[in-house]
Amino acid sequence: MKKTYIYSLASLLVVASLISCKTKSAKSDKTGLAYNKKEYGGFQVNNKFKRGPGPGLVEIEGGVFVMSGSAINVPGQELSDYNHKRETTVSSFYMDETEVSNTNWLEYLNWIRTNYPTDYEYYYNELPDTLVWRRPLSYNEPYVDNYLRHPAYQDYPVVGVTWEQADRYCTWRTDRVNELLLRDKGYMTAFKDINGTNKTGATAAATTARPTEPFNTDIYLNGQYDDKGKRAMKDLNPANTANAGAGKGGATRNVRLEDGILKQPYRLPTEAEWEYAALGLIGNTEYENIRENKIYPWNGLGLSSAKKRTRGLILANFKRSKGDYMGVGGSLNDKGGLTVPVRSYMPNDFGLYNMAGNVNEWVADVYRSKTFEAADAFNPYRGNFYQDKKMADAATGRIEKDKHNLPVMTPAVTARKQTWAEKQTAAAAVVTVDSLGKTTNTYADQRGYRDPANELYGETTLINDKSRVYKGGSWDDQAIWLNPATRRFMQQDEATADLGFRCAMTMLGASEIRSTGKPQFRPKQQRAFKSR
């Protein structure tokens, strides 16, 4: 059951001021030098930072839960084979309210066609495999042709997408969100000025040449994307030679990570994050006491609504029996024979739709049956493959780019910060990756860490380092798989008609999202520094 709090604006402002962990002073409490002043060296500090989710995301306040605590036995399969009950803590994060839809994916394809009109391979590689609908003894050909593109399915979850495609979509989405943020706020040239439209959307002369390379967040942060808009950040560093010849406004610079303006990367959620978010136990929690555990993302033991107005309605899109996909005509139980729109049924207590049923969802983890016996209790995850951005010039720090203006990534060469001399010679290091994704650099590849049977994976089993976990159950699954603890795996380059995904984003700063009405310590005010 959700709790609603109502407080005055004054109380909200008071609490917000108390929970801030940032300095509100305009001076350093260690040196006395003023921030954001050219005469004091131009060190810039954003003391008005406010965090928030990117488009499409909702806040998930983390905490402790029992991983696989909702698990029930799958017939013919030992419970320990697919999960291991363990107390686990998940950091606060953001997660997509819905699964990624067909329209969302077509937007991705349209961007590729617009920016790389002759790169047919790029476009083809990102096309979902619509042939996943074909089955030898089933007539599904209309879905092969129509499911992805026809407006009748525009709000339905995209399927036929591999883990690798989903991962690349996350990278693309990060860049589009950050580019929009920078252009709309004037830190970069506005879209209307480079695309030649006026305020009403009518065609007008472009005032700025169209960029020759698509925007990439990492390339931009590294200073290799020169596009400064009308409200570009001021460079207050007096050592910058550009300041000498700048006008009244002074020289400008790119937005930096320290400014707190850009969003964190979109990514696939970890398995622990996905299961925690799906359960939504926050709605059953009061003063650290969980009143009622869950088997599904909703309360109760049943699969249908117990509320008076919706009594008997099925709460998710799944297969009730081997042959019952949607019920009897005139009284359809879950309203869908295959998938249904991404905003169907009631959201869970975090506000997430279809965390059970509709489509299974890819998560970030590499699959091992015993992962959670060995994984850390804080943010558990298997799949770390540490990478560095390849340097085009180690002395200046310029990043090497590929043909799509993305950083070229290489396996990490060390577990610690390199010395300057090591950094200059690191580019000469050769690291090879085999067909199964294994690298000669044991530090970079942590997918088999604490895995005693790792040498057998890919040789005596179907499990290898490209086996990825998926969760949630689907329109083609029976109710047993709707339990958030269940887990299955598939190769990261394969796809099916019942598997989609949603994105997540790391939340930075304090774990507590809303402190309103909760006890708080009152930090002492920082003393003003007086020079003598």
Side-chain angles (χ1 to χ4, degrees):
M1 180 178 69
K2 292 185 179 179
K3 301 182 288 295
T4 303
Y5 301 97
I6 302 176
Y7 297 93
S8 67
L9 178 60
S11 66
L12 291 174
L13 293 175
V14 169
V15 173
S17 66
L18 292 177
I19 65 172
S20 174
C21 61
K22 308 183 295 298
T23 175
K24 293 296 183 182
S25 173
K27 293 183 179 180
S28 167
D29 60 344
K30 297 297 187 285
T31 65
L33 294 172
Y35 300 144
N36 306 317
K37 297 286 186 181
K38 186 184 294 187
E39 58 268 32
Y40 289 101
F43 176 57
Q44 293 175 268
V45 175
N46 179 6
N47 54 20
K48 296 181 180 179
F49 166 72
K50 293 183 179 180
R51 71 182 181 190
L57 302 172
V58 297
E59 299 165 321
I60 308 294
E61 184 169 286
V64 65
F65 81 116
V66 178
M67 188 96 180
S68 192
S70 63
I72 50 180
N73 193 39
V74 176
Q77 187 175 29
E78 291 294 329
L79 186 64
S80 60
D81 285 346
Y82 70 88
N83 220 326
H84 176 80
K85 291 180 184 289
R86 182 179 179 184
E87 193 173 56
T88 298
T89 295
V90 173
S91 293
S92 297
F93 63 103
Y94 303 111
M95 195 167 188
D96 267 341
E97 181 183 29
T98 70
E99 298 139 338
V100 173
S101 72
N102 285 321
T103 296
N104 299 147
W105 199 269
L106 289 174
E107 179 187 9
Y108 179 31
L109 295 177
N110 179 72
W111 182 89
I112 295 172
R113 178 176 287 170
T114 300
N115 288 272
Y116 297 95
T118 60
D119 194 339
Y120 306 113
E121 181 182 7
Y122 186 13
Y123 185 85
Y124 181 82
N125 287 341
E126 300 312 307
L127 281 173
D129 182 5
T130 60
L131 300 182
V132 294
W133 291 107
R134 285 181 174 169
R135 296 181 180 180
L137 297 178
S138 181
Y139 180 64
N140 290 339
E141 206 64 18
Y143 306 129
V144 173
D145 298 329
N146 294 298
Y147 182 81
L148 174 64
R149 299 183 184 276
H150 198 281
Y153 299 108
Q154 61 186 6
D155 294 324
Y156 286 51
V158 67
V159 299
V161 172
T162 67
W163 184 96
E164 294 171 348
Q165 287 176 310
D167 186 57
R168 291 194 294 266
Y169 174 88
C170 292
T171 300
W172 170 84
R173 184 176 173 185
T174 301
D175 292 337
R176 303 293 70 76
V177 167
N178 280 330
E179 182 181 18
L180 176 65
L181 189 156
L182 293 173
R183 294 197 187 281
D184 277 3
K185 291 185 178 295
Y187 299 119
M188 290 172 56
T189 306
F191 276 117
K192 65 181 179 63
D193 293 328
I194 60 176
N195 289 327
T197 57
N198 57 28
K199 292 182 179 180
T200 64
T203 303
T207 58
T208 303
R210 190 174 179 83
T212 57
E213 295 180 323
F215 174 88
N216 173 262
T217 303
D218 288 323
I219 299 297
Y220 174 85
L221 285 172
N222 204 51
Q224 294 175 232
Y225 197 92
D226 188 14
D227 182 344
K228 300 180 179 67
K230 296 177 181 177
R231 297 182 59 237
M233 300 292 290
K234 301 301 179 185
D235 189 347
L236 302 181
N237 188 344
N240 188 346
T241 56
N243 276 302
K248 184 178 180 181
T252 57
R253 61 170 176 82
N254 281 0
V255 166
R256 300 170 183 151
L257 193 62
E258 298 92 319
D259 296 317
I261 293 171
L262 295 172
K263 298 298 182 185
Q264 287 294 294
Y266 285 84
R267 56 176 175 80
L268 291 174
T270 67
E271 182 176 359
E273 287 175 335
W274 195 99
E275 185 174 330
Y276 178 86
L279 274 175
L281 288 173
I282 196 169
N284 296 356
T285 304
E286 188 172 10
Y287 303 114
E288 288 201 277
N289 295 314
I290 298 175
R291 295 189 304 273
E292 180 182 359
N293 211 328
K294 296 180 178 179
I295 295 177
Y296 306 109
W298 52 83
N299 288 327
L301 303 177
L303 296 163
S304 58
S305 174
K307 294 181 180 180
K308 185 175 182 180
R309 296 185 63 181
T310 57
R311 185 168 295 159
L313 293 182
I314 299 295
L315 293 168
N317 180 20
F318 65 100
K319 184 170 63 173
R320 287 203 301 185
S321 64
K322 290 183 177 180
D324 182 0
Y325 285 82
M326 61 182 179
V328 179
S331 185
L332 300 182
N333 57 49
D334 64 20
K335 318 298 184 188
L338 37 97
T339 58
V340 294
V342 295
R343 279 188 175 83
S344 297
Y345 313 107
M346 294 300 294
N348 73 357
D349 286 338
F350 279 123
L352 305 173
Y353 288 86
N354 290 307
M355 292 301 285
N358 210 23
V359 289
N360 289 290
E361 298 180 16
W362 287 114
V363 297
D365 293 56
V366 165
Y367 178 82
R368 295 288 191 273
S369 62
K370 307 294 185 182
T371 286
F372 296 102
E373 294 181 15
D376 291 349
F378 182 69
N379 290 334
Y381 168 67
R382 183 183 292 281
N384 282 312
F385 188 102
Y386 302 119
Q387 293 182 302
D388 296 329
K389 300 178 185 70
K390 187 176 182 180
M391 290 290 127
D393 186 341
T396 62
R398 289 185 64 81
I399 298 172
E400 186 170 321
K401 303 180 291 185
D402 65 15
K403 65 178 183 178
H404 298 139
N405 205 41
L406 300 173
V408 175
M409 306 300 293
T410 60
V413 296
T414 178
R416 60 171 178 81
K417 178 184 176 181
Q418 298 170 288
T419 65
W420 179 256
E422 289 171 337
K423 178 179 171 61
Q424 304 311 303
T425 58
V430 178
V431 180
T432 58
V433 180
D434 65 19
S435 60
L436 292 177
K438 294 183 180 294
T439 175
T440 56
N441 188 333
T442 56
Y443 164 71
D445 191 350
Q446 299 295 307
R447 291 172 292 184
Y449 185 67
R450 291 182 185 168
D451 186 0
N454 187 48
E455 67 276 5
L456 301 178
Y457 284 117
E459 298 179 14
T460 61
T461 74
L462 296 176
I463 303 169
N464 57 46
D465 286 340
K466 290 188 176 183
S467 300
R468 298 286 176 170
V469 178
Y470 66 89
K471 297 172 75 74
S474 76
W475 63 272
D476 200 23
D477 289 313
Q478 292 186 260
I480 190 72
W481 296 107
L482 305 185
N483 182 279
T486 57
R487 58 200 304 253
R488 289 175 283 183
F489 69 93
M490 193 165 66
Q491 292 297 93
Q492 65 184 39
D493 57 356
E494 295 178 348
T496 68
D498 61 1
L499 179 54
F501 73 102
R502 74 180 74 209
C503 303
M505 178 186 287
T506 301
M507 182 186 295
L508 303 181
S511 297
E512 192 171 60
I513 294 174
R514 292 178 182 83
S515 302
T516 306
K518 301 173 185 176
Q520 301 291 333
F521 289 109
R522 290 177 175 269
K524 290 182 178 180
Q525 294 296 318
Q526 180 178 317
R527 294 181 180 180
F529 177 86
K530 295 182 180 180
S531 57
R532 296 180 181 274

